[in-house]
Amino acid sequence: MKTIEELNFPSDVKYTDDHEWAKVEGDLVSVGISDYAQDQLGEIVFVEMPEIGDTFGQGDEFGSVESVKAVSEIFLPIAGEIVEVNSELEDAPELVNTSCYDKGWLVKIKPDDLSEMDSLKDQAAYLEMLKG
Amino acid sequence: MRYLPHTRQDIEQMLAVTGHADLNQLFETIPDSAKTKTGLNLPDALSEWDLNVEMEALASQNAACGSYTCLMGAGSYDHHIPAIVPYLISRSEFMTAYTPYQPEVSQGTLQGIYEFQTMITALLGMDIATASHYDGGTALAECALIALNKSKKANKIAVSSLIHPAHRQITKTYLNPSEFEMVEIPADKNGLTDVAALKAMDGIAGVAVQSPNFLGNIEDLGSFKAVADEKECLLIASFTEALAHGLLKSPGCFGADLVAGEGQSLGMTKSFGGPGLGLLAGTKKLMRTLPGRFVGKTTDSNGQRGYVLTLATREQHIRREKASSNICSNNGLNAMTAAVYMAAAGKKGIREIAQLNHDKAVYLKNVLVDAGFSSIYNGAFFNEFVLKAPAGFAAKRRELAKKHNLYAGVPLESYYPDMPDHYLFCATETVTRQAMDLLAKEVQ
């Protein structure tokens, strides 16, 4: 595992206490797991996804990420409807390890209330939490 | 294992260690009311020789296959078991091994399970098979749960009324405390599951069809797959006679999503009804939803071949609270038995045994029809078929058992009340032509 300094935390996304990230892209919000989360999990072998059209509240479990040593539930940073899932992860779940903010995104949602983004942590606050 | 009670000496030694004066003192925490006041009402002790005589006399009162000719199947089949099967599986490494809780030190057991899984997937044409379950009925119930848990909308499972009655009952029992429901698909006049009735059903997560079905008829699984696809639900193929797949197209060929069956035919004795061997297989897409264990093959850091429990994150080891099944155990010794049987028979052998079963069953059906039975269905069957008996057969059947050690057919009325005088016959490779001719002659 890497140290916090070796990990990458972009400033254009928001973070949850459970280590998901969320990024506003037009009308939609992309969701993934942070560099810290993928590093902690290790080699990811499977991502269990919701179906398009499923709706979830803020903080609801919407799937799971399975690595060779553990399975972690993933929670939706803000409430909304699933409009897209990253189908590339079916055959290449390791994209979450190699490109967690880009090719390894998990789902895109149509948010119920975009202002919920304000309840998430920004880069500085998330780093502060990680450093404890 | 011998059972030898403690000697007086053993007891004295134990008391010396625990510091009790006598047995009464040792047991003083047990209330008097819970202790027997009189001695147990048991017969006198016997010598080993006398005991053997006694036990053999008791055992001889059973009418078991071997000394009896059995023309009955209905979920439990009489097959020849090659001598290599009991010889190998009675080795203590196999006989005493249970679930490999310490996989790294159980390489032999793990390899055995791996070979078993590999041969089962080949036999059934599926991607992945579990390390075995209790019996065919529990495997079917587990498959129903997989389909129901997977579906987010439907809460019903459609089960053919021609699936073995016990397997249907087990499935119903599993679903009873849940919010899920089992609905039965009726049979048509040809003794097949009514595909049109299935088409009319809504809100189903899966459809389960047995082939050959309980009446021995071979179902067209392909037409059920088509309906399942239309309804976006899973097709569960079940069976009670594993050897049928030596001759029939595998469930995988028809696109079955899950397969649940009884593996007793693969080298296990009938044992008065159990234990059986639950076979459960699925497609790769469903592998993370299957219950139980899987063994995979890998290489260690030195490049040496090794066997490991795999997909362990799904249930018992890591996320037990998320497990979709209460099955965390397997029928290890029976799975090993099936593996040895299949390896001994080989691909060609299994086909030859299957062919022999079918040929004998065709012969039996022909001689019985000539002797006055009525053929009910004209479709294809494997080693079981239904006939309507001529008048007086019920009494004749009891007489045959007493006089000729021959069990002829399973009466179907208790399973299907609209089928009085209908019997399910079975002929396997163990049945001789003489026995079949004798039955035909006796009922004529």
Side-chain angles (χ1 to χ4, degrees):
Chain A
M1 269 180 283
K2 296 178 180 168
T3 62
I4 303 293
E5 284 71 28
E6 290 171 295
L7 296 167
N8 177 25
F9 301 105
S11 56
D12 60 345
V13 306
K14 294 283 205 98
Y15 301 87
T16 69
D17 292 356
D18 300 308
H19 311 293
E20 290 88 9
W21 58 260
K23 183 180 179 182
V24 180
E25 289 178 339
D27 293 344
L28 305 180
V29 174
S30 303
V31 175
I33 64 169
S34 76
D35 207 16
Y36 174 80
Q38 71 77 21
D39 186 60
Q40 288 283 315
L41 280 165
E43 195 184 327
I44 288 164
V45 293
F46 186 67
V47 184
E48 189 196 345
M49 295 283 208
E51 282 179 29
I52 290 170
D54 288 351
T55 55
F56 299 93
Q58 186 178 28
D60 282 0
E61 179 187 335
F62 71 97
S64 64
V65 178
E66 179 179 340
S67 73
V68 288
K69 58 181 182 184
V71 180
S72 290
E73 282 81 36
I74 37 181
F75 306 96
L76 212 58
I78 63 170
E81 179 190 338
I82 307 289
V83 290
E84 219 178 311
V85 298
N86 185 355
S87 55
E88 272 187 61
L89 300 181
E90 258 178 53
D91 295 320
E94 67 276 8
L95 286 174
V96 178
N97 291 118
T98 55
S99 176
C100 67
Y101 301 106
D102 187 17
K103 289 181 176 160
W105 63 276
L106 302 177
V107 294
K108 290 187 183 178
I109 58 171
K110 195 166 88 187
D112 292 350
D113 178 5
L114 204 56
S115 71
E116 283 181 350
M117 286 293 287
D118 299 340
S119 63
L120 305 179
K121 287 186 161 63
D122 62 12
Q123 181 197 38
Y126 184 58
L127 269 171
E128 198 180 323
M129 183 188 91
L130 289 182
K131 288 178 178 165
Chain B
M1 190 175 73
R2 281 169 179 255
Y3 177 71
L4 299 172
H6 304 132
T7 62
R8 191 180 298 273
Q9 217 175 1
D10 293 335
I11 292 168
E12 274 164 17
Q13 273 178 7
M14 284 189 276
L15 290 174
V17 170
T18 61
H20 292 89
D22 54 32
L23 283 178
N24 283 336
Q25 205 190 8
L26 178 67
F27 295 135
E28 70 186 352
T29 52
I30 300 172
D32 269 352
S33 58
K35 293 180 184 165
T36 55
K37 303 288 180 297
T38 55
L40 295 174
N41 181 21
L42 290 173
D44 288 341
L46 294 175
S47 72
E48 188 175 325
W49 292 346
D50 289 336
L51 185 63
N52 280 340
V53 171
E54 169 89 4
M55 294 307 279
E56 274 165 23
L58 285 172
S60 70
Q61 290 177 28
N62 289 322
C65 290
S67 52
Y68 280 68
T69 297
C70 185
L71 299 173
M72 302 193 296
S76 182
Y77 303 89
D78 192 26
H79 292 294
H80 281 305
I81 297 171
I84 190 172
V85 176
Y87 175 75
L88 282 182
I89 63 150
S90 59
R91 287 183 62 101
S92 61
E93 302 94 314
F94 294 140
M95 184 72 104
T96 60
Y98 185 54
T99 303
Y101 284 109
Q102 294 172 294
E104 67 279 11
V105 295
S106 311
Q107 284 295 303
T109 302
L110 290 177
Q111 186 181 356
I113 295 173
Y114 177 82
E115 306 287 357
F116 164 77
Q117 292 173 176
T118 306
M119 287 188 273
I120 292 300
T121 52
L123 186 71
L124 303 178
M126 301 301 286
D127 297 329
I128 185 165
T130 66
S132 81
H133 299 266
Y134 296 126
D135 55 26
T138 51
L140 177 66
E142 290 290 342
C143 284
L145 283 175
I146 296 167
L148 287 161
N149 285 326
K150 190 172 177 295
S151 169
K152 294 198 170 71
K153 294 161 198 132
N155 71 337
K156 278 189 286 189
I157 186 99
V159 172
S160 163
S161 57
L162 299 178
I163 281 185
H164 193 293
H167 296 191
R168 269 181 284 143
Q169 183 58 54
I170 292 167
T171 305
K172 212 183 265 181
T173 304
Y174 264 60
L175 300 186
N176 195 32
S178 72
E179 73 274 28
F180 301 134
E181 190 191 344
M182 180 181 121
V183 287
E184 293 203 2
I185 315 165
D188 66 15
K189 61 180 178 11
N190 299 315
L192 296 167
T193 307
D194 190 345
V195 71
L198 172 68
K199 276 185 190 158
M201 291 177 175
D202 288 323
I204 55 172
V207 49
V209 180
Q210 176 180 323
S211 183
N213 66 31
F214 190 67
L215 302 179
N217 299 319
I218 295 167
E219 300 271 6
D220 174 17
L221 291 175
S223 60
F224 291 97
K225 174 63 181 172
V227 180
D229 282 349
E230 254 170 56
K231 295 187 179 291
E232 293 179 356
C233 72
L234 301 183
L235 172 65
I236 304 165
S238 83
F239 59 87
T240 57
E241 174 50 291
L243 280 173
H245 296 109
L247 211 54
L248 305 182
K249 266 168 96 171
S250 68
C253 287
F254 292 105
D257 300 289
L258 293 163
V259 183
E262 174 55 56
Q264 175 265 328
S265 286
L266 304 172
M268 273 141 272
T269 59
K270 294 168 71 130
S271 302
F272 301 97
L277 170 67
L279 304 175
L280 197 162
T283 56
K284 195 176 172 198
K285 209 174 155 194
L286 291 171
M287 71 181 177
R288 282 185 166 77
T289 64
L290 304 191
R293 291 181 167 76
F294 300 99
V295 176
K297 189 168 81 173
T298 187
T299 46
D300 68 11
S301 54
N302 299 321
Q304 304 270 353
R305 184 175 61 189
Y307 297 92
V308 291
L309 280 185
T310 186
L311 291 173
T313 46
R314 293 167 315 122
E315 52 170 59
Q316 55 270 31
H317 303 315
I318 294 179
R319 285 209 302 178
R320 196 172 190 133
E321 77 285 0
K322 290 276 176 184
S324 59
S325 158
N326 65 358
I327 293 271
C328 60
S329 190
N330 68 34
N331 269 15
L333 188 63
N334 285 3
M336 187 64 72
T337 305
V340 175
Y341 178 89
M342 287 186 283
K347 198 173 169 183
K348 194 161 160 263
I350 287 181
R351 187 181 174 85
E352 284 170 359
I353 297 164
Q355 185 69 54
L356 200 52
N357 271 255
H358 179 62
D359 292 351
K360 293 215 175 194
V362 169
Y363 181 84
L364 178 64
K365 185 175 179 184
N366 287 340
V367 295
L368 289 179
V369 168
D370 288 347
F373 283 81
S374 316
S375 177
I376 301 301
Y377 308 120
N378 299 317
F381 60 93
F382 175 59
N383 66 2
E384 287 179 282
F385 54 88
V386 177
L387 293 178
K388 187 166 190 289
F393 178 67
K396 188 77 199 173
R397 188 170 164 272
R398 286 192 290 275
E399 190 191 311
L400 283 164
K402 272 188 186 162
K403 275 195 188 161
H404 296 287
N405 287 6
L406 194 152
Y407 279 116
V410 175
L412 287 173
E413 194 177 356
S414 58
Y415 302 111
Y416 302 101
D418 58 339
M419 297 184 93
D421 302 318
H422 287 62
Y423 291 82
L424 180 66
F425 288 92
C426 176
T428 68
E429 77 281 5
T430 61
V431 180
T432 62
R433 184 174 176 161
Q434 288 87 332
M436 294 191 277
D437 287 344
L438 171 75
L439 171 63
K441 191 169 147 269
E442 286 286 323
V443 294
Q444 222 154 25

